[in-house]
Amino acid sequence: MRMFDLIEKKKQNLVLTDAEIQYIIAGYMSGEIEDYQMSAFLMACWFHKLTGEECFALTRAMATSGDMMDLREVAGLKADKHSTGGVGDKITLILLPIMASLGIKMAKSSGKGLGYTGGTIDKLQSIGGLEVQLSRQQFIDILNEAGMVISSQSANIAPADKKIYALRDVTALVDDSALIASSIMSKKLASGADMIVLDVKCGNGAFMKEFDAAKSLAQLMVQIGKDAKKQTVAVITDMNVPLGRAVGNAIEIKEALSCLKGNMPSDIKEVVFALGIQILLMGRKAENANEAAKMMTEEVESLRAYNRFCTFVAMQGGDVSQLEDTSRLPKSAIEKHIFAQESGYVSVCDCGLVGKAALAAGAGREKKESDIDYGAGIYLEKTYGDAVQKGKSLAVVYASTEAKAEEAATLLQKSFQISKQEPPKRKMIKEILN
Ligand code: URA
């Protein structure tokens, strides 16, 4: 086989075989295939699109390019949850302890956040001492005992995806559904879980702005999961407004804890329950959605899910006293409010702009190597649909310097629009695909 011929084949819109795709990935990893050849090949894939079979072959080849986690030592059903990334997205921190408390083992490896979509790992690292770089044995032990584990992605999970993603990033090739689906699912297949639940975000704060694009990504990922004989479900959820009230790191931990104590804003609750119900149905823990929802409510009301989160934090070395007394979590010194310029209802709380404001405050990373300020963030005192009064506070920015707070506040002010009429209720769950 020659890479030249395979590029030519895809350029002519012909379908590559499994063996040809494996050859490409193996050759790229060994260095025999150069970046410029891979770029040309990926560009041909962008223009002609991969078939379902090609997409699965690429996913499997990337998944098996590194370690495949073997979770057979862990008793019971193992599930993995993935979100395509949003603003204020703390769903993992709430959903995992509820599921763990109901006997589903939740095994999650996560990347760091980049741009304005925050990463779960960064949020967790705002808790003093919490370790996310875990050995395989630590990962298994914590999963067995706490019922949930969240680690940073090991360097050897789907390394071909890492190398290809870096190339796509600099050659304008990120925005292709099949390439995105195979990239995400290669890491999920390597993670060793029996069940995969995907939260595919859709809206102006998400990767996929349009519903049709989100749906096509969801369909591709569910099909890959099925082809790999993993139970897979995708829930398409709204991401036009930040989830809940807090956007940042420590501030989102605080909100997640409050949710686990039963104070769940309705948007967070809808997403947590939609995903949890699917996991419980896949795992045959509940007969139907009503029963699953009741089980979840009981875990929250009894504080069993909250206690489960504390156990997980303790097992990963985190300072549990910061969970009991959240004033001990990091909080940046400068507080800057923005105020309503008229009375009415919040008709827009633009997710993309709120995300950018959080980034400006210091809560996110502009580049992979940028530092994060765990205490920086935004608290939305008002959000979509809330009634507001002229001159009253809409939101507060936390930042380490006046300049950062000012820049964030300017963006935040632009993210709000006030209307005289109450806006329609948002539909959080757009579609469930399985
Ligand atoms: N996230 C991934 O892991 N891969 C992509 O291609 C896009 C988003």
Side-chain angles (χ1 to χ4, degrees):
M1 259 183 245
R2 283 195 324 154
M3 185 60 179
F4 179 93
D5 299 329
L6 301 180
I7 298 170
E8 179 64 25
K9 192 169 174 184
K10 196 67 206 166
K11 193 179 87 184
Q12 300 301 339
N13 201 13
L14 298 171
V15 178
L16 297 178
T17 65
D18 197 35
E20 286 168 336
I21 290 177
Q22 276 182 40
Y23 167 83
I24 293 171
I25 298 303
Y28 189 49
M29 289 313 281
S30 70
E32 192 188 316
I33 291 170
E34 302 281 354
D35 279 352
Y36 53 82
Q37 291 175 301
M38 194 64 179
S39 308
F41 170 71
L42 292 168
M43 189 58 87
C45 295
W46 192 95
F47 275 105
H48 293 307
K49 304 304 166 202
L50 293 169
T51 65
E53 285 77 18
E54 285 176 318
C55 191
F56 181 56
L58 176 63
T59 311
R60 199 172 40 193
M62 293 198 296
T64 53
S65 66
D67 298 337
M68 297 289 280
M69 276 291 266
D70 181 353
L71 296 179
R72 276 174 299 181
E73 283 173 52
V74 180
L77 283 169
K78 277 82 65 181
D80 192 358
K81 179 253 174 195
H82 180 82
S83 157
T84 55
V87 177
D89 184 3
K90 55 205 65 82
I91 301 297
T92 293
L93 302 170
I94 306 160
L95 176 68
L96 265 58
I98 301 177
M99 291 297 109
S101 185
L102 285 166
I104 306 265
K105 300 273 169 51
M106 300 298 300
K108 182 156 174 62
S109 299
S110 213
K112 288 193 168 187
L114 190 57
Y116 61 69
T117 62
T120 301
I121 290 292
D122 298 315
K123 292 168 202 187
L124 283 171
Q125 286 196 303
S126 66
I127 303 172
L130 194 134
E131 191 49 72
V132 290
Q133 268 172 336
L134 306 172
S135 68
R136 182 182 174 276
Q137 199 54 50
Q138 283 172 317
F139 189 93
I140 302 252
D141 291 347
I142 297 168
L143 185 55
N144 258 327
E145 248 182 275
M148 64 177 280
V149 61
I150 305 176
S151 76
S152 62
Q153 211 118 52
S154 107
N156 212 29
I157 288 282
D161 168 63
K162 207 166 274 163
K163 196 169 172 196
I164 291 171
Y165 187 83
L167 193 62
R168 285 169 56 210
D169 201 22
V170 292
T171 50
L173 286 168
V174 170
D175 63 338
D176 178 81
S177 294
L179 296 179
I180 297 173
S182 55
S183 164
I184 293 174
M185 291 303 286
S186 66
K187 290 167 280 205
K188 298 292 110 186
L189 298 192
S191 78
D194 313 303
M195 304 187 283
I196 301 166
V197 63
L198 303 160
D199 181 359
V200 180
K201 304 283 189 201
C202 168
N204 67 29
F207 217 18
M208 296 293 167
K209 313 273 180 236
E210 305 300 332
F211 177 74
D212 288 349
K215 184 161 175 175
S216 106
L217 175 64
Q219 280 169 329
L220 283 165
M221 290 197 290
V222 169
Q223 191 55 50
I224 294 170
K226 282 189 181 155
D227 290 345
K229 313 259 179 298
K230 306 260 183 197
Q231 292 195 75
T232 307
V233 56
V235 181
I236 303 176
T237 66
D238 184 84
M239 196 25 85
N240 286 299
V241 178
L243 274 164
R245 303 276 172 166
V247 182
N249 296 291
I251 198 167
E252 287 196 40
I253 294 284
K254 200 170 159 185
E255 187 173 37
L257 289 166
S258 166
C259 290
L260 285 169
K261 286 184 173 171
N263 311 310
M264 245 187 260
S266 61
D267 56 347
I268 293 184
K269 186 168 181 180
E270 278 183 61
V271 177
V272 166
F273 274 65
L275 296 169
I277 287 168
Q278 292 307 316
I279 296 174
L280 294 174
L281 293 177
M282 276 195 287
R284 297 188 198 286
K285 291 268 178 191
E287 294 269 312
N288 54 48
N290 281 345
E291 190 192 345
K294 198 160 159 260
M295 287 160 71
M296 291 177 70
T297 304
E298 274 169 22
E299 293 319 294
V300 176
E301 283 177 354
S302 63
L303 291 183
R304 283 194 291 270
Y306 171 82
N307 290 331
R308 188 58 73 140
F309 186 76
C310 295
T311 305
F312 143 78
V313 167
M315 287 203 73
Q316 291 201 198
D319 179 357
V320 179
S321 73
Q322 290 184 329
L323 308 182
E324 285 151 8
D325 174 7
T326 53
S327 69
R328 299 190 56 235
L329 284 166
K331 185 165 145 192
S332 301
I334 312 283
E335 285 186 29
K336 195 169 187 70
H337 286 259
I338 60 150
F339 300 96
Q341 286 162 349
E342 55 195 307
S343 296
Y345 294 90
V346 178
S347 57
V348 175
C349 178
D350 186 296
C351 208
L353 281 172
V354 175
K356 284 179 187 151
L359 190 60
R365 263 188 206 88
E366 303 259 10
K367 295 192 202 127
K368 273 191 206 134
E369 48 295 335
S370 318
D371 281 335
I372 261 192
D373 176 357
Y374 293 116
I378 283 160
Y379 190 80
L380 301 168
E381 282 161 341
K382 300 289 177 191
T383 186
Y384 180 86
D386 288 348
V388 297
Q389 263 188 304
K390 186 174 176 179
K392 296 276 186 206
S393 176
L394 288 177
V396 53
V397 174
Y398 298 95
S400 60
T401 65
E402 282 288 352
K404 285 183 184 173
E406 188 60 47
E407 192 187 340
T410 305
L411 286 161
L412 199 54
Q413 191 84 56
K414 286 191 195 137
S415 71
F416 279 92
Q417 281 177 32
I418 314 284
S419 67
K420 289 287 163 224
Q421 254 129 41
E422 194 172 352
K425 195 176 160 2
R426 270 198 309 153
K427 188 168 180 252
M428 290 306 298
I429 309 304
K430 299 193 175 292
E431 196 162 329
I432 298 178
L433 294 99
N434 53 21

